[in-house]
Amino acid sequence: MSTRHPSGGHRVAVTGIGVKSPAGNTLEEVYTALLAGRSAATRLDRLVEADLPVHFACLAPPFDVTAYLSPREARQIDRPAQLLLCAAADALADARLPADRSPDRIGVQIGTGIGGLTSMEDATTGYATRPRDLPVHTVPRTMSNSPACRIALRHGFQGVCTTYSSACASGSTALAEAARRIRHGELDVAVAGGVDSAVSTVVMGAFARMRALSTRNDAPALASRPFDADRDGFVMGEGAAVLVLERLDEARARGAVVHGEIAGWAETCDAFHIAAPHESGEVAGRCMRQAVADAGLSVADIGHISAHGTSTVPGDRAEARAVDRCFDGQSPPVTAVKGVTGHLIGAAGALEAALALVCAARGTVPPIANLHSSPEANWVDLVHGAPRRVAPAPVLSNSFGFGGQNACLVLAPPP
Amino acid sequence: MPTREELAVTVRTVISDVLGTDPAELQDRTSLLEEYGIDSLELMEIGARLERALQLRIDPDDLIAARDVGHAIDLLRTRMDSPV
């Protein structure tokens, strides 16, 4: 096995994964829900009471936060930071890093699309007319780098700590930037991923005003249906996913369990519209191609695609065209996790990368939940009904965000 | 005007809320700095909550100057006798 990546840099291993997501709070639970095509969307009375047009979302199931956080810590932070800290603790426990790692060589790289906006919404709602009573932790709670810095603070990681914001692509951006820092030797270990938790009145209302959200209030579990003819928008989800990245040669030398590699990545911007994807899929398709090339692979090496697939007509259609372009009409099998998990915004790319690693290693393509017939079926090979078995092979994981953000990752099974 | 014991219950409850401890753990001789590593934001939060609970303007210096919980209670009693 070559210890060098085709780029000449270090190969990047993933040695730890932690998730807090609507489809489960362990990776194995999420994987099981994914194979079963079981949607996590549920009706939330508080959304009905708030007079929102959307009555449902995907929330992470309750778990014992006291197993992770002291009451004092829990009181100072908001839900996004809480979910991220817990996912990071799981990822680090999974990675079993040796205690002698130098803390200034460990960095934190996190993506978030919405950050602390919902906490600021609470502060605005509660204190706009009495600013002198604002809780003193308002700024540290709401600043967008708070969740990432809380990880650094808690574990004493003194390497570079960065928060990336590329809307719904944030989690993939963070993983790409983290992997770059490992590849080029800037860090020995990167704790990287994404987080968002924004099922609030204003955020849900604002997305609903764009008609981006599904309003299938009579059947929430059928609402997220990527690529299906009857889709009517995405389903808001919350969660966090964290991966521990390190040099593959170092991971092997210490006998770590390697989940797989972040083998390649690319990022581009449509530069077309602030929210709509370019319908030709040209720039997104180029991003996919660049990510595959960055991994030192050809498109024929890709075993399957984990699509961004949000269940919006413009998004799914543009992505299908982009895949068709990138693969010259020879689409590999395509799955889309959001049918089960909903759209975790800044956490989506990180959760989907974690699942792609599992699927790459096990040679499984999960079915797309709620998909029955698709107008895009002539462009892409959509997996539905039941999981499809394939040979273990690298997975292309796509993330696209408002602003025209494109971020693609290539996740390879353990060498 | 609350008795010292009534005031102590309020102060201990507010501090334990902010620090996530049990009020019974907070004795007059408890030092929040040495035993809990309290930071300035938490002290400000305690001050803000006490202001609301006691309907009293509190000088942050009173809390910062306090050696321990008992001293803070005594300083508050003085402040209640002669409001700022």
Side-chain angles (χ1 to χ4, degrees), chain A residues 71-72 75-76 127 130 132-133 135-137 140, chain B residues 17-20 36-38 41-42 44-45 52:
Chain A
R72 181 176 176 183
R75 194 176 297 278
Q76 293 180 6
Y127 301 94
R130 46 188 189 109
R132 287 167 186 268
D133 292 336
V136 296
H137 282 98
Chain B
D17 274 353
V18 171
L19 295 185
Y36 290 91
I38 194 164
L41 283 179
E42 289 169 325
M44 298 281 288
E45 180 72 31
R52 281 200 292 280

Side-chain angles (χ1 to χ4, degrees), chain A residues 164-184:
Chain A
Y164 300 93
S165 195
S166 52
C168 305
S170 300
S172 291
T173 296
L175 286 178
E177 296 303 325
R180 186 191 320 281
R181 290 174 193 274
I182 301 292
R183 185 188 276 182
H184 297 302

Side-chain angles (χ1 to χ4, degrees), chain A residues 96 104 116 130 152 187 192 222 224 325 345 385 398-399:
Chain A
R96 296 189 176 86
D104 62 340
R130 46 188 189 109
L187 289 172
L222 304 180
S224 188
R325 277 174 183 275
I345 313 292
N398 289 337
S399 293

Side-chain angles (χ1 to χ4, degrees), chain A residues 14 28 40 61 90 110 128 133 144 186 214 227 269 305 314 329 335 343 358 368-369 371 388 391 394 414:
Chain A
V14 176
E28 206 57 44
D90 289 347
I110 297 300
D133 292 336
S144 53
E186 291 169 37
S214 168
F227 299 102
C269 183
I305 296 174
T335 189
H343 191 349
V358 180
I368 301 173
L371 173 60
R388 196 185 298 178

Side-chain angles (χ1 to χ4, degrees), chain A:
Chain A
M1 181 202 84
S2 169
T3 58
R4 284 285 166 176
H5 186 269
S7 65
H10 303 294
R11 292 173 68 171
V12 182
V14 176
T15 56
I17 297 176
V19 299
K20 295 291 174 228
S21 92
N25 291 327
T26 66
L27 188 59
E28 206 57 44
E29 278 175 77
V30 184
Y31 179 71
T32 304
L34 197 56
L35 291 197
R38 198 167 58 233
S39 168
T42 50
R43 178 188 150 98
L44 299 172
D45 288 340
R46 63 183 170 88
L47 301 181
V48 183
E49 285 155 18
D51 191 30
L52 284 161
V54 177
H55 298 167
F56 55 93
C58 295
L59 300 183
F63 61 97
D64 183 13
V65 177
T66 62
Y68 295 89
L69 304 173
S70 70
R72 181 176 176 183
E73 205 171 7
R75 194 176 297 278
Q76 293 180 6
I77 64 179
D78 64 3
R79 174 106 175 138
Q82 183 188 95
L83 291 171
L84 187 72
L85 273 177
C86 296
D90 289 347
L92 287 161
D94 185 33
R96 296 189 176 86
L97 293 175
D100 62 358
R101 291 283 191 156
S102 174
D104 62 340
R105 299 284 301 161
I106 306 178
V108 180
Q109 303 279 290
I110 297 300
T112 183
I114 297 169
L117 274 183
T118 55
S119 289
M120 192 52 92
E121 181 183 333
D122 290 341
T124 306
T125 308
Y127 301 94
T129 58
R130 46 188 189 109
R132 287 167 186 268
D133 292 336
L134 274 160
V136 296
H137 282 98
T138 301
V139 171
R141 189 183 285 123
T142 58
M143 59 192 196
S144 53
N145 61 333
S146 186
C149 292
R150 284 280 175 185
I151 295 179
L153 176 65
R154 168 167 243 232
H155 298 281
F157 300 149
Q158 295 168 349
V160 57
C161 179
T162 324
T163 300
Y164 300 93
S165 195
S166 52
C168 305
S170 300
S172 291
T173 296
L175 286 178
E177 296 303 325
R180 186 191 320 281
R181 290 174 193 274
I182 301 292
R183 185 188 276 182
H184 297 302
E186 291 169 37
L187 289 172
D188 291 340
V189 177
V191 179
V195 63
D196 261 314
S197 176
V199 184
S200 71
T201 303
V202 170
V203 174
M204 291 290 283
F207 276 104
R209 287 294 284 163
M210 301 176 79
R211 302 183 62 171
L213 294 176
S214 168
T215 54
R216 198 177 290 265
N217 292 328
D218 57 340
L222 304 180
S224 188
R225 42 199 314 135
F227 299 102
D228 186 79
D230 284 339
R231 77 206 126 176
D232 72 327
F234 80 82
V235 176
M236 183 67 86
E238 65 156 11
V242 176
L243 284 68
V244 177
L245 278 47
E246 54 187 307
R247 282 168 51 172
L248 177 64
D249 54 349
E250 291 187 348
R252 297 204 135 185
R254 72 176 181 89
V257 174
V258 174
H259 294 283
E261 279 181 81
I262 301 187
W265 55 85
E267 293 180 83
T268 62
C269 183
D270 279 359
F272 165 70
H273 186 276
I274 196 62
H278 197 301
E279 60 183 41
S280 75
E282 188 193 333
V283 185
R286 200 185 312 141
C287 189
M288 294 178 205
R289 195 172 276 277
Q290 286 171 2
V292 174
D294 183 61
L297 301 172
S298 70
V299 290
D301 297 318
I302 297 299
H304 74 272
I305 296 174
S306 176
H308 184 61
T310 57
S311 184
T312 65
V313 173
D316 292 355
R317 192 161 53 200
E319 183 169 17
R321 287 196 174 134
V323 168
D324 185 51
R325 277 174 183 275
C326 175
F327 289 84
D328 288 326
Q330 303 292 310
S331 164
V334 173
T335 189
V337 169
K338 293 182 182 76
V340 167
T341 61
H343 191 349
L344 275 60
I345 313 292
L351 178 66
E352 288 156 23
L355 289 162
L357 286 168
V358 180
C359 294
R362 297 184 191 177
T364 313
V365 190
I368 301 173
N370 297 318
L371 173 60
H372 300 291
S373 73
S374 172
E376 289 90 42
N378 51 337
W379 289 321
V380 282
D381 176 9
L382 300 164
V383 177
H384 61 106
R388 196 185 298 178
R389 300 294 307 176
V390 294
V395 176
L396 175 65
S397 183
N398 289 337
S399 293
F400 307 122
F402 285 176
Q405 309 267 181
N406 306 308
C408 299
L409 303 174
V410 176
L411 293 314

